[in-house]
Amino acid sequence: MRSLSTLLVLAALPAALAVKTHDFKTCAQAGFCRRGRALAERAAGSQAWNSPYSLEASTLALSPDQASFTAAVKSSIYPEVNFGLDVRIHDDGVVRVRMDEIGGIRKRYDEAASWALLEEPPISNSVQWTVAKDSARAKYGAKNEVEVVVNFAPLKVTLLRNGKEQVVLNGRGLLHMEHYRTKESVAKSKEGLPPPEEGLDTDDNQVVLAQTHPRTAWFEGEEEDGWWEETFNSFTDTKPRGPESLSLDIDFPNHGHVYGIPQHATRLSLPTTIGEDAYYSEPYRLYNADVFEYLADSTMSLYGSIPFMQAHSTESTVGIFNAIGSETWVDVGRPTPKKTTTHWISETGILDVFILPGPTPADVFAQYTRLTGTPALPAQWALGYHQCRWNYISSDDVRSVQKRFDEEDMPVDVFWLDIEYAEEHKYFMWDHKLFPDPVDMIKDVEAIERKMVVIVDPHLKRTNDYPVYKEATELDVLVKQKDGSTDYEGWCWSGSSAWVDFFNPKSWDWWKGLFKVDGPNDKWHWSESTVSTYIWNDMNEPAIFNGPEISMPRENIHYGGWEHRDLHNINGMLFHNLTSQAVKSRTDPPKRPFVLTRSFYAGSQRFGAMWTGDNLGTWEHMAVGVKMVLANNIAGFSFAGSDVGGFFGNPEPEMLVRWYAVGAFSPFFRAHAHIDTKRREPYLLDEPYKTIVRDILRLRYSMLPVWYTAFREASVTGLPVLRPHYVAVPQDEGGFAIDDQYFVGSSGILVKPVTRKSAKEETVYLPEDQVYYDYFTQHAYRGAAKGKNITVAADLHQIPLFVRGGSIVPTRERHRRSAPLMKRDPFTLRVALDKDGHARGELYLDDGETYSHEAGQFVWREFVAEKPAKKSKGVKISNKNLGAQKPAEAVDHVALATYDIANDFARSIADVRVEKIVVLGLPTKPSSVTTDGGKALQWSYTPGVAASDSKEGTASILVIKDPKLSITGDWNIEVQA
């Protein structure tokens, strides 16, 4: 949804003309960012630059039984100000570095980590610190290969692996925690200071600067730039607490690529913002904002902020999580192709940085998600196709759309309602003129095991005939103005609006109670709903039409007396979190919630899905949407997607078809459109476009077992559902910057969506010396040890889609109207042999909607293809029980001691069978195909290229017809040749 002014904007305008950049700050318009960049410029221009911060060795206190210490830190320019340092090494090797101002005139915001973290991480009790005169050191790892060094003067923290620097904090001396001060104290400190001598060269070095501008100016600059007040457009920020920003340089001396810090419309491997030939001139901004019609190539902030960055090289992967909730700007430099520098400038907060030592991408994902949580395992139906627009205008409209999907035999799982369902945009309250029978309408959708999603935005219409607003006022849980007592009033879709302060614990149970279908009679609750109605949280940055940067004034006050500026980037996550809890708690036992959010922060992956916001119907936005979804995946938030077709505009049929192919290979697959766009439901397309889109939808549904299995893995290991090349093949340097093709989980599926107009062919990169099979034609392509580009056909009806040799892909090929209707359908196994004649795959199944899997109610199978003997030309295909082999690794956050192979769910699908097995790449025609009991199976064989060959061409194909083997049982098939 967009601000009211955008309703007058032509949806077809190109992004470069439509985005209103003047509504949003640049670094030069943000005082603290100006100060941070100026500090970096002074440091870079001084050969004798040293950080003023040092650790006082005499104060260092080691924990007697844990790998942690505390110490006092002093600044040479403000010796009267006290800072405290806390360094910890966690059980898994993550290093946490915290620094805060001690005994200041007020407390700095220090709660960001508490909202992001699952729990307080356990500290190692085996790692030992060694303290010398000038440093403290700790070594750990299987071979003591990891070392953390804390240098005292100047203060610097370094993580090394095998003696090579991996991460360096304050190596360039840009650490600056602006301590709290008053105007009066600053004025008094300047009394009696002599003016600088005229003509003195202040650029020679740090000593001259110190002599010219006593104590502080060499470091902080000569001006009180934006310390006490700032004006942007018509808004004035009174800065009641004065300067309080935090600057920190975090460098990766041996890593040439950095990724992460979403959300930005840019490449996956982050381009530079500083240095010679910098790609951008602005730092990457992290400030959750309603940037409608955003640019397709920019460092502008968008709807969410995850301050998590990875650095990668052929030798190692490392990460940092900077737990800060305020506006943050990040400069990225690359002094050499093998070195990356970053500079983080935040408006408020303490220093709270987690250093993730890796050394592999998988290790970094595990370390990060142990901190902030893995993606929640979604309901299976949520992985189907979602149909949305602003707005389906009535109950009859919804029924009509569902009918047309069924008439055209197009699968769909979810229909969505935008803001016009609500009377005067009072969320929960139906407009009965348009939706006279909301519960009956929803049940009509549910009759085909489909679902409805309804929007609930965070702004509450300020009127006493709206029970939600009335109760929030009575509870006193609304965000306050800067005086701390008056409820804040802003303007949004509801007109004059208020916002619930979800940082206030009093709001939590109340909010959850609103979603009850059957609630207490003395409290308002959403009785005109069902327990299978799910929720869409939009506008939760928060978006406020008449606020600064279309958001909330930074001086507003939240629970605990914190200013909005302290926690702005966390705000949207709390709304998402509480709504997810509310949906989950509607039933007993609970069902898995589905809540879509636009705004997010580190940890949001625990609560549902996100989308990339209000994109444009352009080829550029289609292409960058792929990169943005990848960026969210490698930042822990896998359940991500972009609006198919673009929110704004009327895409031509070719573009719409290509966008459906993009959506079908995104974790979250939804089509959405602006109220002023033409209707573009897929059944409205002319031929051949309609048939192509139908085939794309059916392809998505056939591969739902692949997607669900990938989400199980993500929910346990933290590995992303979509995996860019640097994650899948970490040593292949040729793939480090690739962000237009990717793998789906561990399935071996490699896809390159076509995002170019009039494309007839595509170039696909194969990263290794392995065979890759075209998913549709079974053509075998050969990669190379150093990577190889191939050219493939990509007409409109074609998707460059491959199966990596060594994979077994389970699919369901029956066409159904929705995902739950497929739950008893048989499986097809596609066995793609690697060059050594082996393959492996997994399948995970449970009831798809409850939490019974946490009690062991699931099926987790491993399929293996291997040679029965070293020189054999045949293959043995097995179905094994992974749940029994690895019960402790089966379910997120539940370490099962044992697994009952005859659990209720497994018994309920015991008759679900494998109806076909397709083996690609056998070297010769089989002589027989039998089960391990000796039963002969029906099969057919088409000669072709073998996996072990060096040539390319259509692979040999063995089709085993309906072996009538249970998907849940252990079995073997012997292919003799």
Side-chain angles (χ1 to χ4, degrees):
M1 236 51 58
R2 292 284 58 84
S3 64
L4 292 173
S5 61
T6 68
L7 300 180
L8 303 177
V9 177
L10 292 175
L13 283 175
L17 297 178
V19 67
K20 298 182 178 179
T21 54
H22 62 270
D23 283 339
F24 304 97
K25 290 182 179 181
T26 63
C27 178
Q29 293 169 314
F32 76 92
C33 188
R34 286 196 305 272
R35 298 197 299 271
R37 268 196 155 181
L39 171 64
E41 290 171 4
R42 287 192 293 273
S46 172
Q47 295 180 356
W49 186 269
N50 272 315
S51 171
Y53 293 90
S54 60
L55 183 152
E56 294 197 309
S58 62
T59 68
L60 192 147
L62 290 171
S63 170
D65 56 356
Q66 293 180 323
S68 66
F69 71 81
T70 60
V73 171
K74 284 290 188 178
S75 167
S76 60
I77 60 173
Y78 290 107
E80 71 280 9
V81 179
N82 298 311
F83 301 94
L85 183 72
D86 182 339
V87 182
R88 307 174 182 186
I89 301 174
H90 298 166
D91 273 348
D92 61 356
V94 169
V95 181
R96 186 177 187 179
V97 181
R98 299 176 85 242
M99 191 175 101
D100 195 359
E101 183 179 349
I102 305 297
I105 60 177
R106 62 178 60 86
K107 183 177 173 61
R108 299 180 75 93
Y109 185 69
D110 61 356
E111 297 179 1
S114 67
W115 296 112
L117 300 184
L118 272 175
E119 58 190 3
E120 193 65 24
I123 303 172
S124 171
N125 56 17
S126 60
V127 176
Q128 300 288 324
W129 286 96
T130 301
V131 180
K133 291 182 179 179
D134 60 351
S135 64
R137 298 168 181 264
K139 284 191 173 185
Y140 56 95
K143 298 180 180 179
N144 269 351
E145 71 277 14
V146 180
E147 183 177 20
V148 182
V149 180
V150 180
N151 294 103
F152 296 166
L155 177 62
K156 182 175 75 168
V157 180
T158 306
L159 177 82
L160 303 99
R161 179 174 293 276
N162 296 320
K164 293 185 70 171
E165 291 181 331
Q166 305 288 293
V167 184
V168 182
L169 274 56
N170 200 34
R172 290 181 288 135
L174 304 186
L175 169 64
H176 187 31
M177 182 175 283
E178 293 180 331
H179 68 280
Y180 284 125
R181 63 199 91 182
T182 64
K183 286 184 180 181
E184 294 75 18
S185 66
V186 171
K188 186 174 182 180
S189 70
K190 292 181 177 180
E191 291 177 2
L193 292 180
E197 299 177 25
E198 292 187 12
L200 187 61
D201 183 358
T202 59
D203 293 327
D204 284 350
N205 54 47
Q206 178 176 309
V207 176
V208 173
L209 282 170
Q211 292 172 345
T212 308
H213 307 293
R215 282 185 50 186
T216 67
W218 68 270
F219 191 72
E220 290 191 316
E222 299 180 37
E223 304 294 330
E224 297 173 15
D225 181 13
W227 282 18
W228 311 109
E229 185 176 278
E230 257 188 292
T231 298
F232 177 69
N233 293 339
S234 61
F235 301 98
T236 297
D237 179 359
T238 58
K239 299 281 190 75
R241 302 185 310 205
E244 53 181 323
S245 73
L246 174 66
S247 162
L248 177 65
D249 55 292
I250 304 175
D251 293 346
F252 307 96
N254 291 288
H255 296 83
H257 292 265
V258 291
Y259 313 91
I261 58 170
Q263 186 182 37
H264 301 97
T266 188
R267 292 181 247 161
L268 183 67
S269 179
L270 296 172
T272 55
T273 63
I274 54 170
E276 190 174 347
D277 299 323
Y279 184 79
Y280 296 118
S281 59
E282 284 288 304
Y284 295 94
R285 190 185 189 198
L286 295 173
Y287 185 73
N288 296 356
D290 185 1
V291 185
F292 48 89
E293 300 169 320
Y294 52 84
L295 294 169
D297 185 5
S298 174
T299 60
M300 287 181 70
S301 59
L302 293 176
Y303 309 96
S305 299
I306 300 180
F308 170 52
M309 178 180 281
Q310 296 179 46
H312 183 70
S313 71
T314 55
E315 295 182 355
S316 67
T317 311
V318 293
I320 65 103
F321 169 45
N322 187 2
I324 202 145
S326 65
E327 178 187 1
T328 298
W329 300 76
V330 184
D331 266 320
V332 174
R334 196 156 288 115
T336 73
K338 301 294 185 182
K339 177 181 181 179
T340 304
T341 64
T342 70
H343 181 200
W344 301 62
I345 311 165
S346 301
E347 185 174 16
T348 76
I350 67 166
L351 189 158
D352 196 355
V353 173
F354 297 79
I355 304 173
L356 285 55
T360 69
D363 292 325
V364 169
F365 292 125
Q367 291 154 5
Y368 176 68
T369 54
R370 273 195 290 269
L371 292 172
T372 65
T374 57
L377 180 64
Q380 189 186 32
W381 58 262
L383 302 180
Y385 173 62
H386 298 243
Q387 182 62 50
C388 182
R389 75 171 278 111
W390 177 24
N391 204 87
Y392 291 118
I393 60 174
S394 66
S395 298
D396 289 342
D397 194 8
V398 172
R399 291 184 174 103
S400 174
V401 172
Q402 170 159 266
K403 182 181 179 183
R404 288 297 307 277
F405 268 92
D406 290 342
E407 289 173 346
E408 297 291 347
D409 202 13
M410 290 182 169
V412 61
D413 264 270
V414 192
F415 297 109
W416 291 57
L417 289 178
D418 214 319
I419 61 175
E420 308 307 331
Y421 84 91
E423 181 185 35
E424 298 179 337
H425 301 144
K426 294 182 289 188
Y427 304 106
F428 304 100
M429 317 298 289
W430 293 91
D431 184 338
H432 287 111
K433 294 178 182 178
L434 301 174
F435 297 89
D437 57 347
V439 174
D440 288 343
M441 173 195 67
I442 294 169
K443 288 183 177 179
D444 285 346
V445 170
E446 294 173 359
I448 313 174
E449 296 208 47
R450 293 182 176 133
K451 307 294 187 292
M452 289 211 69
V453 169
V454 178
I455 198 167
V456 175
D457 283 351
H459 45 273
L460 305 182
K461 188 174 183 66
R462 291 169 54 91
T463 175
N464 283 329
D465 66 355
Y466 180 26
V468 179
Y469 169 72
K470 187 172 183 292
E471 290 182 5
T473 304
E474 292 169 350
L475 271 176
D476 193 25
V477 291
L478 297 174
V479 176
K480 307 302 181 187
Q481 296 181 26
K482 62 183 179 181
D483 63 9
S485 57
T486 307
D487 291 343
Y488 170 68
E489 177 184 3
W491 198 265
C492 205
W493 294 116
S494 303
S496 175
S497 302
W499 279 259
V500 176
D501 182 4
F502 287 103
F503 292 89
N504 188 335
K506 285 198 302 181
S507 70
W508 300 348
D509 286 340
W510 165 75
W511 184 254
K512 287 186 280 188
L514 296 178
F515 289 81
K516 296 284 188 182
V517 177
D518 300 310
N521 293 329
D522 60 333
K523 296 289 185 180
W524 191 91
H525 56 92
W526 203 9
S527 58
E528 287 191 304
S529 180
T530 75
V531 296
S532 293
T533 302
Y534 296 89
I535 304 300
W536 173 13
N537 286 162
D538 197 358
M539 310 295 283
N540 51 329
E541 293 77 25
I544 300 173
F545 297 158
N546 63 334
E549 301 195 84
I550 317 177
S551 194
M552 186 169 281
R554 298 173 189 232
E555 316 98 305
N556 277 8
I557 300 299
H558 290 264
Y559 178 80
W562 300 113
E563 285 190 321
H564 183 73
R565 76 180 80 243
D566 295 316
L567 43 78
H568 172 87
N569 287 343
I570 307 171
N571 182 80
M573 179 176 72
L574 263 66
F575 182 51
H576 186 208
N577 180 350
L578 268 297
T579 304
S580 179
Q581 291 186 46
V583 173
K584 180 179 178 180
S585 64
R586 288 181 308 195
T587 59
D588 186 14
K591 292 184 177 181
R592 290 176 230 170
F594 175 84
V595 181
L596 180 74
T597 185
R598 190 172 70 177
S599 181
F600 53 87
Y601 183 69
S604 287
Q605 67 270 14
R606 306 195 299 266
F607 312 123
M610 62 74 61
W611 91 107
T612 62
D614 297 339
N615 54 354
L616 283 151
T618 67
W619 292 96
E620 293 79 9
H621 273 255
M622 187 197 308
V624 80
V626 172
K627 306 173 197 299
M628 294 169 71
V629 170
L630 282 176
N632 263 74
N633 269 255
I634 61 102
F637 205 160
S638 281
F639 204 1
S642 294
D643 282 343
V644 169
F647 180 64
F648 292 104
N650 295 302
E652 60 186 333
E654 179 196 357
M655 182 190 296
L656 194 56
V657 169
R658 291 298 195 190
W659 218 316
Y660 267 93
V662 170
F665 286 92
S666 301
F668 176 56
F669 183 15
R670 181 184 77 156
H672 185 36
H674 188 275
I675 196 170
D676 289 337
T677 62
K678 297 176 183 177
R679 285 286 180 111
R680 49 169 131 111
E681 288 75 17
Y683 52 72
L684 295 175
L685 286 164
D686 293 330
E687 294 294 358
Y689 309 108
K690 180 164 62 176
T691 293
I692 297 173
V693 171
R694 181 189 294 114
D695 289 344
I696 291 170
L697 291 171
R698 288 176 171 178
L699 176 64
R700 169 64 173 220
Y701 276 76
S702 72
M703 298 181 77
L704 285 179
V706 172
W707 290 99
Y708 198 58
T709 300
F711 265 98
R712 184 220 67 87
E713 185 178 16
S715 75
V716 174
T717 67
L719 279 164
V721 170
L722 299 191
R723 298 181 190 170
H725 278 257
Y726 88 90
V727 175
V729 192
Q731 281 76 45
D732 177 36
E733 194 164 5
F736 291 176
I738 291 178
D739 54 14
D740 58 358
Q741 59 179 69
Y742 49 87
F743 294 86
V744 178
S746 297
S747 68
I749 294 293
L750 171 66
V751 63
K752 181 169 185 177
V754 179
T755 59
R756 297 182 298 112
K757 182 177 174 62
S758 303
K760 298 296 182 183
E761 59 184 28
E762 273 292 350
T763 300
V764 178
Y765 179 79
L766 302 182
E768 59 196 331
D769 182 15
Q770 188 54 269
V771 59
Y772 281 76
Y773 302 90
D774 184 289
Y775 188 86
F776 305 103
T777 69
Q778 289 77 51
H779 189 100
Y781 295 91
R782 306 288 168 179
K786 294 185 177 180
K788 176 183 175 182
N789 288 314
I790 61 171
T791 300
V792 299
D795 285 325
L796 190 57
H797 68 285
Q798 295 173 306
I799 301 171
L801 183 64
F802 305 88
V803 183
R804 187 183 195 177
S807 307
I808 299 179
V809 180
T811 60
R812 278 175 153 156
E813 301 295 335
R814 305 288 176 89
H815 304 316
R816 304 293 184 187
R817 291 186 287 177
S818 65
L821 297 177
M822 303 174 72
K823 59 188 175 184
R824 301 195 64 79
D825 283 352
F827 285 87
T828 293
L829 301 181
R830 184 182 269 96
V831 180
L833 297 176
D834 66 14
K835 61 182 184 178
D836 297 321
H838 300 152
R840 182 190 178 279
E842 293 183 16
L843 174 67
Y844 175 80
L845 300 167
D846 58 28
D847 69 14
E849 61 176 357
T850 74
Y851 290 90
S852 63
H853 60 292
E854 295 181 351
Q857 300 292 317
F858 60 85
V859 168
W860 184 23
R861 308 299 301 185
E862 178 186 35
F863 308 111
V864 177
E866 55 193 348
K867 291 181 177 182
K870 186 174 182 180
K871 295 185 179 181
S872 172
K873 293 185 178 181
V875 67
K876 177 182 176 182
I877 303 169
S878 305
N879 182 0
K880 302 177 181 180
N881 196 325
L882 267 181
Q885 293 176 35
K886 302 178 179 181
E889 301 174 29
V891 180
D892 179 29
H893 299 304
V894 179
L896 297 172
T898 60
Y899 171 74
D900 180 6
I901 60 174
N903 66 77
D904 290 345
F905 174 75
R907 288 203 308 271
S908 74
I909 63 166
D911 58 347
V912 174
R913 73 187 196 282
V914 177
E915 68 172 350
K916 183 192 290 186
I917 300 175
V918 180
V919 183
L920 304 178
L922 278 174
T924 189
K925 182 178 179 177
S927 57
S928 66
V929 179
T930 61
T931 65
D932 48 5
K935 177 185 175 183
L937 301 176
Q938 288 188 316
W939 54 274
S940 63
Y941 178 79
T942 303
V945 170
S948 56
D949 289 347
S950 58
K951 61 183 179 181
E952 296 187 349
T954 302
S956 67
I957 305 170
L958 168 67
V959 178
I960 304 173
K961 303 173 183 178
D962 199 7
K964 293 184 172 59
L965 296 171
S966 171
I967 198 69
T968 67
D970 291 356
W971 45 257
N972 298 299
I973 291 177
E974 295 276 356
V975 178
Q976 299 286 345

